[in-house]
């Protein structure tokens, strides 16, 4: 029997206990963080709902003000047009686009044209050019070196 054999059980017990303490402290810290984040998310949700109702009340007030001098259907139509225009402006602010030469010419950008426009701003290429040979004159890993033209011991395959 080894002289320290009886201490192995104590070491395992100590390691298990330390692991348990570490797990509990991490769990408690994560609980605290998620509590704070849940509170923040609830406040943002309530803020968004109140902003939606405020916008609806404003639209109603505009419609009622227009209804004083116009027929009801015309006031509702004008209010809808105003809200639609505001929605388009806000959408444009959310996705800003830099007008390029295609935009000035009246050509719609999309797909490959958009990539070419973005590449034109960087230097005319959609990605950096690849050099013809790797630096240092050595072959890149994974490339197959060319076969010698006249090697009698190497069988030739016709492709």
């Amino acid at each position: 029997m080894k002289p320290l054999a009886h201490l192995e059980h104590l070491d395992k017990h100590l390691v298990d206990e330390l692991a348990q303490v570490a797990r509990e402290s991490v769990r408690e810290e994560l609980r605290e963080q998620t509590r704070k984040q849940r509170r923040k998310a609830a406040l943002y949700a309530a803020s968004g709902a109140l902003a939606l109702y405020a916008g609806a009340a404003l639209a109603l007030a505009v419609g009622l003000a227009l209804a004083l001098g116009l027929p009801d259907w015309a006031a509702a139509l004008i209010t809808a047009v105003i809200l639609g225009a505001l929605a388009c402006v806000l959408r444009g602010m959310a996705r800003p686009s830099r007008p390029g030469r295609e935009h000035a010419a009246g050509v719609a950008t999309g797909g490959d044209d958009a990539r070419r426009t973005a590449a034109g701003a960087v230097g005319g290429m959609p990605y950096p050019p690849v050099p013809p040979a790797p630096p240092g004159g050595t072959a890149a890993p994974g490339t197959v070196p060319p076969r010698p033209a006249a090697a009698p011991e190497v069988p030739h395959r016709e492709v």
Side-chain angles (χ1 to χ4, degrees):
M1 184 166 143
K2 293 183 197 174
L4 299 177
H6 65 281
L7 294 179
E8 284 183 22
H9 175 68
L10 292 176
D11 288 343
K12 287 180 184 177
H13 181 68
L14 182 62
V15 168
D16 290 342
E17 194 173 325
L18 284 173
Q20 182 66 27
V21 168
R23 279 193 296 264
E24 287 175 4
S25 64
V26 167
R27 277 189 193 133
E28 185 59 36
E29 187 175 335
L30 287 175
R31 278 190 195 116
E32 184 63 30
Q33 286 178 356
T34 54
R35 241 181 253 127
K36 289 177 184 177
Q37 289 174 351
R38 259 188 263 134
R39 176 177 158 78
K40 224 183 254 189
L43 289 174
Y44 274 120
S47 167
L50 289 176
L52 179 68
Y53 284 119
L58 180 65
L60 180 65
V62 168
L64 289 175
L66 288 172
L68 292 176
L70 297 170
D72 292 342
W73 65 268
L77 184 63
I78 291 172
T79 305
V81 169
I82 291 171
L83 289 175
L86 284 174
C88 287
V89 167
L90 290 175
R91 183 175 147 231
M93 288 173 62
R95 292 190 282 174
S97 63
R98 288 186 257 171
R101 52 183 178 260
E102 287 91 6
H103 184 71
V107 177
T109 59
D112 291 334
D113 292 338
R115 275 193 286 287
R116 277 190 232 121
T117 303
V122 177
M125 299 180 78
Y127 46 84
V130 177
T138 60
T143 59
V144 179
R147 205 172 354 155
E153 65 273 355
V154 178
H156 288 45
R157 282 193 194 162
E158 297 298 324
V159 180

